[in-house]
Amino acid sequence: MGELTVRRDSFHERAVHEVLLLMETDVTQGLTAAQVRERRERFGPNVLPPNRSHGPLIRFLLQFHNPLVYVLLAAALATIIIGHAVDAAVILAVVLVNAVIGFIQEWRAGRALEALALATLTEATVIRAGVTSRLDSTDLVPGDVVLLDAGDRVPADLRLVRMSSLRVDESALTGESVPVEKVDGSLDADTSLGDRSNMGYASTLVVGGSGTGVVVATGAETEVGRIHQLVGQAEGVQTPLTRKLTRFSRWLTLAIVILAAATFGIGMLRQEDASQMLLAAVALAVSAIPEGLPAAVTITLAIGVSRMARRHAIIRHLPAAETLGSTTVICTDKTGTLTMNEMTVQTVHAWKGPSDKRECLYAGLRCNDASLDSDGSIGDPTEIALLVSAGNAGVTAREGTRRLAEVPFSSETRLMAVLDEEPDGARTVWIKGAVEQVLDLCLSRGSEFSEMDQASVLGEAAEFGRQALRVLAFARADVDADFVLNEASMMTLEARFVGLQAMEDPPRPEAIAAVAACHSAGIRVMMITGDHANTAHSIAMQIGISDESDDVVLTGRDMAAMDDVTLKERLRHARVLARVSAAQKLRVVELLQAQGDIVAMTGDGVNDAPALKQADIGIAMGLGGTEVAKEASAMVLTDDDFASIESAVEEGRSVFDNLTKFIIWTLPTSLGEALVVLTAVILGTTLPVLPVQILWINMTTAVALGLMLAFEPGEPGIMSRPPRRPDQPIMGAAVVRRIVSVGALMLLGAFGTFEVATLMGLPLDEARTLVVTGFVAMEIGYLINCRVLDRSVLTVGLWSNRPLLWGVMTMIVLQILFVHAPFMNAVFSTAALSWSAWLAMIALGAAMAAIVGIEKKISAHASAVRARRP
């Protein structure tokens, strides 16, 4: 067993006798009990090991690991020290609610490894000490001899040593859309995973025939074990929004700390009371932090998620809703996403007229082990296509016909034949298979079918092949009653050629339109598939992903020969990646991200899981996808349709627009509040607003007013503009100008109100109540303008967002309670206002709406003038 230190992926290049020698086993006897015990101790059970992860407590505590949260916690501590328990309680409640929301989101994610481990558990038929028995797959060790039959799930990585028409569905591992025919013999060392026809891999499914294999890898050493490790290493990435918010939080935290320290320092230089200056510093910190932002982001994303769900896209992780709007590259699987995921006969090429067409369809019907019923289809996809083709043409089995014998398809003969007995006693052999092999039977023993005829049919088949169609040939032979069908007698038949059937997995019509829409939106679409390059390229051209240029196609073997620099350059032009492995898919995603792309990756198989997790947004197939793929993804398509991705991208862009509107609305308020506090300290006047009152403004307006922007419908032309640049900041120059100008207006309005109230001799509580109400009124006026950032709100209609109207009315009611309810007066140190005071604050809000509206009109005109300049 010392030789097992050789490369674990080298067994496909070794002869059977060499493999048996390396594994110290025997095909007929298997391992002895002593060998099994020794190897189990050495290699462990055949299971995938769990990866380490944080426990629930640590995950919850990590929710507080945010610079802005640190500032809020420090503010809460400071208010406790100076005896303001109510203020501290409100601050801590805000922090706790945000932490709980984040913990729940994270708890629902990250279960891909558990699903992957469950996907590999099965039973196996094993020969040990000459005895055949059924064992749990976890008991297998390297060197075990495993027997495979149709319906079995391969329990470990096997080097196949014997097989009989063995066909294995490896789509979950390699992406290959049709079952793989297994053959004997050694292969080249650089043979890709999907082409290793002498190997069986854990988690794949035997769909036909039988075979015997020697276990060469178990647990983490299997190919699916490699994927398990890749999923564990792919930690996932932050979404564009969370990256930008993280950078924004750091800068904002630094600014808040500096301003709060400056506020306290200025007060001390003025020899003010230390506790009052600490309160002022806390007020400034609380005012500058947009406490409602985390909740607003979560709820805005949740609303986007519900909209996407109505368009067949289920979002598993909320930030993914926004990520879709930032996507620059979509890496999509072919089978089932861009295509119908069902082989369909496109052309029946009859040899001689309608009678041969019927014979050709009948041959496909009889030379077939699949079945169709009301519950669906069972069997090989190619054979199901032949059944459907015959049924659509009205061709059915003749009543009373019996199958007497069959020769199953094998890689050696590349033929399948069945012997039928008709009700009248006549016997017919129906034959299907590879074109060359069927035609060879039809040329034998003086048949009317000539070599010229053969050349004509081969030319027709070659044309089908250039269209990436899968071609099968069909023939029939009338035989005597004493004819015995077997592989040898089949090769002596005098068969008559009846025709060809060419089939493909056709493109989805809606996918063609969706790809075109993505291109209009500036999004590059790449097909990544386990299928052969010519098939993938043909489908890509039909759908509009690529042109006829060979430069757009890369294979897994091409990629393996390239270093990262070369491959990164080729990926700029590539549109089709064929025959790629799980590690290569992950590599592609990482390289695209390294060059600044926001990558959406689709997948349905076990092999897709690492790339799905690494991508900025992983998209799994809900109908045909494995649980592993779904758990590793951020989004699941309920209809497995590429068109749903395009719809989700549109919704994602709308989500980001609405989040941007919220941020542009909330930051001027925070700035205005902070400037009011700072100005009061600099001028040495009483604080116009208390920390607890600031929290009232920030939290109630964020919920009742700001969150209503999440219900804004997508703006016209949203899919006609290019994706946002990944490095584009949340706040560009125009946004900063808007925030500063509106913040300054709020400073003038609020501080001016406080000064006027003071000059009028109003009590301090009433003056502060006026300031709070003024802030709320100005926020309502500004909110109306934030519905559309660069045009008049009249362009979308005043009544088009009904939730926003309800929000405004709710905020008015809450503010009336804040001002006039005795219990609110006690908690927030407020006082009732006169009707004249209310009218003055309403006028202040109207002035804010008018000023910002005029500023938008001037800015829009200036932009139009600049655009017209040569």
Side-chain angles (χ1 to χ4, degrees):
M1 290 292 289
E3 287 293 328
L4 282 183
T5 56
V6 297
R7 288 194 345 266
R8 61 180 176 177
D9 60 350
S10 67
F11 289 99
H12 65 277
E13 62 185 277
R14 299 176 181 274
V16 170
H17 72 273
E18 187 179 1
V19 173
L20 295 175
L21 185 63
L22 285 172
M23 305 307 296
E24 298 178 10
T25 191
D26 181 89
V27 174
T28 58
Q29 295 296 310
L31 298 175
T32 65
Q35 287 177 307
V36 170
R37 283 194 300 272
E38 185 272 329
R39 296 181 190 196
R40 186 176 293 124
E41 291 177 2
R42 180 175 175 183
F43 296 104
N46 180 30
V47 294
L48 299 177
N51 280 335
R52 294 182 179 179
S53 61
H54 293 303
L57 178 60
I58 298 298
R59 289 203 303 271
F60 179 72
L61 293 177
L62 286 173
Q63 305 305 316
F64 298 93
H65 182 51
N66 180 289
L68 290 176
V69 173
Y70 294 154
V71 174
L72 283 174
L73 291 175
L77 178 62
T79 53
I80 291 173
I81 292 173
I82 60 178
H84 288 252
V86 174
D87 295 33
V90 174
I91 294 172
L92 290 174
V94 169
V95 172
L96 185 62
V97 167
N98 286 329
V100 170
I101 292 173
F103 174 77
I104 292 173
Q105 280 184 248
E106 190 172 306
W107 176 77
R108 295 178 60 230
R111 291 178 293 170
L113 296 176
E114 296 175 15
L116 187 55
L118 291 174
T120 62
L121 296 181
T122 184
E123 285 192 335
T125 304
V126 184
I127 301 175
R128 285 181 177 172
V131 177
T132 302
S133 59
R134 292 283 288 177
L135 300 175
D136 193 285
S137 64
T138 59
D139 291 333
L140 292 180
V141 296
D144 265 325
V145 176
V146 176
L147 305 181
L148 299 174
D149 281 303
D152 287 347
R153 192 167 294 278
V154 180
D157 283 3
L158 312 176
R159 172 60 162 90
L160 300 172
V161 296
R162 293 176 182 169
M163 61 213 73
S164 175
S165 303
L166 182 63
R167 288 176 293 127
V168 180
D169 179 359
E170 296 183 341
S171 59
L173 183 65
T174 67
E176 175 66 67
S177 60
V178 296
V180 177
E181 182 77 18
K182 294 300 181 178
V183 298
D184 197 3
S186 56
L187 301 171
D188 292 339
D190 62 351
T191 303
S192 65
L193 184 68
D195 293 321
R196 294 177 188 172
S197 53
N198 60 4
M199 298 289 294
Y201 292 108
S203 82
T204 60
L205 183 67
V206 178
V207 297
S210 60
T212 303
V214 175
V215 175
V216 295
T218 58
E221 296 300 308
T222 62
E223 288 297 330
V224 76
R226 291 185 181 189
I227 295 172
H228 176 270
Q229 294 172 36
L230 290 172
V231 174
Q233 294 164 9
E235 294 295 337
V237 295
Q238 284 189 311
T239 69
L241 178 67
T242 54
R243 285 197 294 266
K244 291 170 184 176
L245 287 178
T246 298
R247 287 196 296 270
F248 170 71
S249 296
R250 288 170 181 163
W251 282 107
L252 183 59
T253 300
L254 180 62
I256 290 170
V257 170
I258 292 173
L259 285 175
T263 299
F264 186 79
I266 291 171
M268 290 296 94
L269 290 175
R270 298 175 61 90
Q271 298 182 340
E272 300 285 353
D273 180 68
S275 64
Q276 289 301 310
M277 288 303 97
L278 187 58
L279 181 63
V282 169
L284 186 141
V286 170
S287 65
I289 294 175
E291 292 89 353
L293 182 57
V297 169
T298 299
I299 295 172
T300 303
L301 291 173
I303 292 170
V305 165
S306 67
R307 288 177 175 176
M308 291 179 188
R310 291 195 290 269
R311 304 181 76 171
H312 308 291
I314 304 298
I315 301 294
R316 297 183 64 250
H317 310 313
L318 283 181
E322 179 275 332
T323 308
L324 279 163
S326 310
T327 299
T328 60
V329 178
I330 298 176
C331 299
T332 176
D333 193 15
K334 176 183 72 68
T335 305
T337 308
L338 297 171
T339 65
M340 300 294 292
N341 197 22
E342 52 185 37
M343 294 296 287
T344 305
V345 173
Q346 300 295 321
T347 303
V348 179
H349 177 72
W351 179 234
K352 290 183 179 179
S355 62
D356 270 2
K357 179 176 181 179
R358 190 171 184 84
E359 296 277 71
C360 182
L361 291 168
Y362 193 77
L365 176 69
R366 297 303 301 164
C367 220
N368 202 309
D369 291 325
S371 63
L372 292 175
D373 56 36
S374 58
D375 295 328
S377 56
I378 301 173
D380 185 282
T382 299
E383 294 191 336
I384 292 171
L386 296 175
L387 292 182
V388 173
S389 177
N392 289 342
V395 176
T396 59
R398 293 160 192 152
E399 189 174 352
T401 300
R402 295 189 304 135
R403 178 186 289 193
L404 301 180
E406 72 170 278
V407 176
F409 185 90
S410 71
S411 56
E412 289 80 15
T413 64
R414 303 185 70 194
L415 296 168
M416 176 182 180
V418 298
L419 173 61
D420 276 357
E421 183 180 68
E422 304 292 339
D424 60 3
R427 296 191 175 191
T428 306
V429 176
W430 300 100
I431 305 163
K432 79 171 181 186
V435 178
E436 296 85 350
Q437 279 65 31
V438 172
L439 294 183
D440 285 344
L441 291 182
C442 298
L443 276 172
S444 61
R445 290 173 173 75
S447 167
E448 295 180 2
F449 193 78
S450 67
E451 292 185 1
M452 187 176 295
D453 294 331
Q454 183 187 44
S456 173
V457 174
L458 287 174
E460 189 72 25
E463 179 58 32
F464 289 143
R466 282 189 287 273
Q467 300 171 39
L469 298 175
R470 179 179 173 87
V471 186
L472 290 176
F474 299 86
R476 63 169 292 167
D478 298 320
V479 296
D480 297 331
D482 59 353
F483 179 80
V484 177
L485 179 65
N486 53 43
E487 192 170 298
S489 65
M490 176 180 69
M491 306 307 294
T492 66
L493 287 169
E494 296 181 15
R496 186 175 75 82
F497 176 68
V498 294
L500 305 173
Q501 293 194 52
M503 64 194 74
E504 69 171 350
D505 182 7
R508 289 178 179 263
E510 58 271 27
I512 298 173
V515 167
C518 286
H519 289 164
S520 297
I523 300 171
R524 185 155 51 108
V525 181
M526 297 175 63
M527 178 192 291
I528 303 184
T529 178
D531 264 350
H532 293 280
N534 63 333
T535 303
H537 194 192
S538 175
I539 293 293
M541 288 190 293
Q542 293 179 54
I543 293 176
I545 289 178
S546 70
D547 54 27
E548 296 183 0
S549 170
D550 290 335
D551 290 342
V552 300
V553 182
L554 278 176
T555 66
R557 183 172 292 188
D558 296 333
M559 293 165 56
M562 297 178 188
D563 58 27
D564 284 353
V565 174
T566 305
L567 180 55
K568 189 183 294 185
E569 182 60 32
R570 288 294 302 275
L571 287 175
R572 296 182 187 277
H573 309 286
R575 294 296 181 271
V576 178
L577 307 182
R579 308 300 279 176
V580 295
S581 67
Q584 288 172 330
K585 288 184 179 183
L586 179 59
R587 183 186 179 199
V588 167
V589 171
E590 291 173 337
L591 290 179
L592 288 172
Q593 290 172 331
Q595 61 189 26
D597 282 308
I598 303 299
V599 182
M601 170 79 184
T602 76
D604 56 6
V606 174
N607 62 321
D608 296 319
L612 287 171
K613 190 173 181 184
Q614 177 63 37
D616 295 279
I617 176 164
I619 305 171
M621 304 298 108
L623 297 178
T626 62
E627 287 304 311
V628 177
K630 294 174 189 176
E631 290 295 330
S633 68
M635 184 174 95
V636 178
L637 300 182
T638 60
D639 58 357
D640 291 11
D641 189 348
F642 184 86
S644 298
I645 301 176
E646 184 265 334
S647 299
V649 168
E650 181 180 343
E651 292 293 349
R653 291 188 172 191
S654 179
V655 165
F656 186 85
D657 283 354
N658 292 344
L659 283 172
T660 302
K661 292 171 185 177
F662 176 86
I663 291 170
I664 291 175
W665 171 80
T666 194
L667 289 185
T669 301
S670 297
L671 177 62
E673 292 165 348
L675 289 175
V676 166
V677 173
L678 186 60
T679 302
V681 171
I682 292 174
L683 297 178
T685 63
T686 304
L687 286 179
V689 62
L690 295 173
V692 71
Q693 294 170 339
I694 291 172
L695 282 172
W696 165 265
I697 299 171
N698 289 355
M699 294 306 296
T700 56
T701 59
V703 174
L705 301 180
L707 282 182
M708 300 305 107
L709 291 170
F711 293 96
E712 286 293 325
E715 296 184 10
I718 198 169
M719 286 297 284
S720 299
R721 66 194 192 203
R724 299 185 311 278
R725 296 193 321 273
D727 59 348
Q728 180 179 336
I730 293 178
M731 297 187 300
V735 172
V736 171
R737 284 195 300 271
R738 173 74 57 79
I739 291 171
V740 171
S741 62
V742 174
L745 287 173
M746 289 195 172
L747 166 64
L748 292 174
F751 203 85
T753 296
F754 184 75
E755 288 298 305
V756 170
T758 302
L759 289 173
M760 292 174 61
L762 294 179
L764 181 59
D765 284 353
E766 189 173 341
R768 284 173 170 165
T769 304
L770 269 174
V771 172
V772 173
T773 305
F775 265 118
V776 171
M778 288 188 287
E779 288 192 47
I780 292 174
Y782 182 46
L783 176 75
I784 295 170
N785 280 287
C786 286
R787 292 186 57 203
V788 185
L789 296 179
D790 55 359
R791 303 188 308 278
S792 168
V793 70
L794 297 177
T795 60
V796 297
L798 287 174
W799 318 111
S800 58
N801 186 346
R802 293 190 180 278
L804 184 138
L805 299 177
W806 284 106
V808 170
M809 287 188 284
T810 300
M811 189 64 234
I812 291 172
V813 171
L814 289 174
Q815 191 61 25
I816 291 173
L817 289 174
F818 178 83
V819 172
H820 294 287
F823 74 94
M824 299 288 269
N825 298 152
V827 172
F828 291 99
S829 301
T830 58
L833 299 178
S834 65
W835 283 110
S836 59
W838 275 104
L839 289 174
M841 295 304 97
I842 292 172
L844 188 62
M848 174 65 77
I851 293 171
V852 176
I854 293 170
E855 183 272 332
K856 284 202 301 182
K857 190 170 184 177
I858 294 172
S859 297
H861 177 72
S863 298
V865 170
R866 286 194 297 270
R868 288 196 295 267
R869 289 174 182 169

